[in-house]
Amino acid sequence: MRKVPHIVGNWQTLVSIPVEQEILLDMFQSLENVDPIDQMHISLSKTVYFKEFQLQELDQQLKRAFKNFEPFTVGFSQVSLYWNDTRDRCFIAADIGPGHAELVRLTERVDQVLSAFNHPVFYSDPKFHVSFGSQTDIDPSVVTDLQKEFGFELKRTGFLVDSIQLKFGNKLLTYTTTD
């Protein structure tokens, strides 16, 4: 369901890190009555809206911001629940532990770019995570159950961050460490 009214020429925009982890799929498959997350990711920005004519400048500024971006490894720490800003949808997620400081540095770069366009910056104390399911309400006991079943393996799971994505409407631009 659309939360923001459609305005012709405004495109929903998000900067994020794509994530594909088998353990998150296993955790999701163990749940009942929970909607899947289509494209799992770690958000580096809030969802904002840009005009079509701004895409090229946004792309150029992000390329400059990520110019010296070095790959790094992140890992998971625990399972948590998060509510969206309007508190009408709950997300079940794996929190990021190792790699948090590097994600903060990337987010600061994104914040500088978005500020130049007068868009809001990310949260002041970000809780980086990867959502893998959502529902209008989730029983908190699900977190305890998932932690018991998958917690040890989750904490041993890490992955390399070597690309960042800009989703601009239906366009997807990727910035890699080789750019």
Side-chain angles (χ1 to χ4, degrees), residues 8 13 20 48 52 59 76 84 87 91 97 126-127 162 179:
V8 174
T13 305
E20 293 181 25
V48 294
E52 178 85 33
D59 178 43
F76 298 114
N84 64 359
R87 298 202 54 82
F91 295 86
K127 307 279 191 268
D162 59 359
D179 290 343

Side-chain angles (χ1 to χ4, degrees), residues 58-116:
L58 175 61
D59 178 43
Q60 291 304 314
Q61 287 196 32
L62 286 172
K63 280 180 183 172
R64 282 192 293 277
F66 300 139
K67 186 174 182 177
N68 298 319
F69 159 56
E70 294 288 330
F72 60 94
T73 301
V74 298
F76 298 114
S77 60
Q78 64 184 15
V79 178
S80 293
L81 294 180
Y82 291 93
W83 286 93
N84 64 359
D85 289 339
T86 56
R87 298 202 54 82
D88 61 356
R89 192 126 197 107
C90 188
F91 295 86
I92 189 154
D95 290 346
I96 299 298
H100 186 274
E102 291 86 348
L103 292 171
V104 167
R105 286 193 285 280
L106 279 180
T107 300
E108 289 168 348
R109 294 178 186 194
V110 174
D111 284 351
Q112 288 177 339
V113 171
L114 294 181
S115 292

Side-chain angles (χ1 to χ4, degrees), residues 3 7 16-17 26-27 30 47 79 83 88 91 93 95 126 145:
K3 301 286 181 202
I7 299 173
S16 65
I17 296 168
D26 292 346
M27 290 170 69
S30 74
T47 299
V79 178
W83 286 93
D88 61 356
F91 295 86
D95 290 346
D145 295 344

